[in-house]
Amino acid sequence: MTRALVLSGGGPQGVAWESGLIAGFAQGGVDLGQADHILGTSAGAVVGARLACGVEAARLADALLAPGADRPAQDDPAPSMADLARMMELMTEAQSGTRHPAEVRRELGALALAAATVGEGEFMQRIGRALGEAPRHGWPARDFACTAADAEDGGFQIWDAGSGVDLLPAVASSCAVPGLFPPVRLQGRPYMDGGARSASNADLAAGHEVVVVVSVQPPGAPPWLAKRLDEEVESLKAGDAVVVVITPDEAAGAAFGGDLMEMERDAMVARAGLAQGLSQAPILKEIWG
């Protein structure tokens, strides 16, 4: 039996919830870090890279849960409301199918390349801190992939062991939310957040017999998020996969703030994820083994 773990985007709060959730599952006897394939998008790329690099699943949230671990707000250039509105409009359109997705992603890329953000070097440092003890260079020995999109031509990119890129810039490119963070250059091209195609990209786990999809869908999430995931899950099931989708439970949903990019709540969100994982571990254990 081959098992895949898919980790969605969701900003810093998504990193916190996914880390706590996976730690809770592990402490409850279900080690999702033992997946045969780990796929991460944006926030999920950070969490997935740490797992693939051998960080013990049960300890994944330790740094977030340490006393005084709440993170201060970042003093970043404030994106214009017009840019934020346009970014959300394009992200929605990219999922709708009304235009060719690559065409929409090209417009997202133009927005990303023109936006006033922190520098690429500072952004890379932040992602490096989020990766914690995971190495920055080379690629994990475990089967790990993360997603990005070319900010110039809108092409979709999967970074994996055969891509010839280092882990840190690959993960950073997957996290580069258009309009909020700078595109990251790899192999001479600027790349932005893999969520420009899909928040989860779960359909890319096709071919595995059991697929666990961890999807950040807090209260108020846009309707297209669940709709796109439903379509991806159906495509996996059509290939005879057993698919389990895990979203925030009521307590975890209440812990999320209105802005997933806020870092001040990450300890609270991680604790909620840990509790959810512990409570749901007996159910998942029957499927995961």
Side-chain angles (χ1 to χ4, degrees):
M1 179 178 72
T2 61
R3 303 172 297 182
L5 173 64
V6 176
L7 300 167
S8 85
Q13 291 184 25
V15 171
W17 176 69
E18 291 179 354
S19 298
L21 182 82
I22 292 168
F25 277 129
Q27 292 173 28
V30 181
D31 188 352
L32 294 177
Q34 295 304 308
D36 299 288
H37 175 64
I38 300 172
L39 172 69
T41 294
S42 200
V46 173
V47 179
R50 298 189 70 216
L51 279 174
C53 288
V55 177
E56 186 181 353
R59 306 270 71 85
L60 200 62
D62 281 5
L64 293 163
L65 296 171
D70 285 312
R71 307 296 188 268
Q74 303 285 357
D75 185 21
D76 292 347
S80 72
M81 295 304 294
D83 279 354
L84 284 178
R86 183 59 177 156
M87 184 263 286
M88 289 305 300
E89 178 184 337
L90 289 170
M91 292 289 271
T92 301
E93 188 176 6
Q95 318 299 320
S96 70
T98 56
R99 280 198 291 157
H100 194 288
E103 180 183 339
V104 183
R105 291 196 293 266
R106 282 196 296 272
E107 293 185 27
L108 264 173
L111 184 153
L113 290 165
T117 67
V118 298
E120 184 177 341
E122 166 62 22
F123 180 58
M124 293 270 284
Q125 289 179 13
R126 293 183 189 180
I127 300 302
R129 289 193 292 270
L131 287 174
E133 59 269 53
R136 278 48 173 169
H137 302 287
W139 202 259
R142 301 291 301 276
D143 185 2
F144 168 70
C146 61
T147 64
D150 189 307
E152 290 182 339
D153 66 17
F156 182 63
Q157 176 69 45
I158 303 171
W159 302 118
D160 59 19
S163 299
V165 299
D166 284 332
L167 184 65
L168 174 56
V171 171
S173 74
S174 189
C175 295
V177 180
L180 296 182
F181 301 117
V184 175
R185 287 199 169 267
L186 292 98
Q187 300 174 334
R189 305 286 298 180
Y191 288 93
M192 61 183 178
D193 199 303
R197 175 185 184 266
S198 161
S200 296
N201 293 296
D203 55 312
L204 302 180
H208 295 277
E209 295 165 272
V210 175
V211 182
V212 171
V213 182
V214 177
S215 177
V216 179
Q217 295 190 35
W224 56 258
L225 187 66
K227 180 177 182 295
R228 179 60 184 263
L229 179 57
D230 286 345
E231 293 170 352
E232 293 171 356
V233 168
E234 288 306 311
S235 74
L236 292 170
K237 289 180 177 178
D240 295 327
V242 175
V243 185
V244 179
V245 177
I246 302 168
T247 58
D249 63 11
E250 185 176 356
F256 280 95
D259 180 359
L260 292 176
M261 304 308 297
E262 290 179 4
M263 301 183 70
E264 299 92 328
R265 304 173 68 93
D266 57 2
M268 180 192 310
V269 174
R271 282 192 293 272
L274 183 73
Q276 180 178 349
L278 282 167
S279 69
Q280 296 180 354
I283 302 170
L284 186 58
K285 192 172 186 178
E286 296 180 10
I287 299 170
W288 191 257

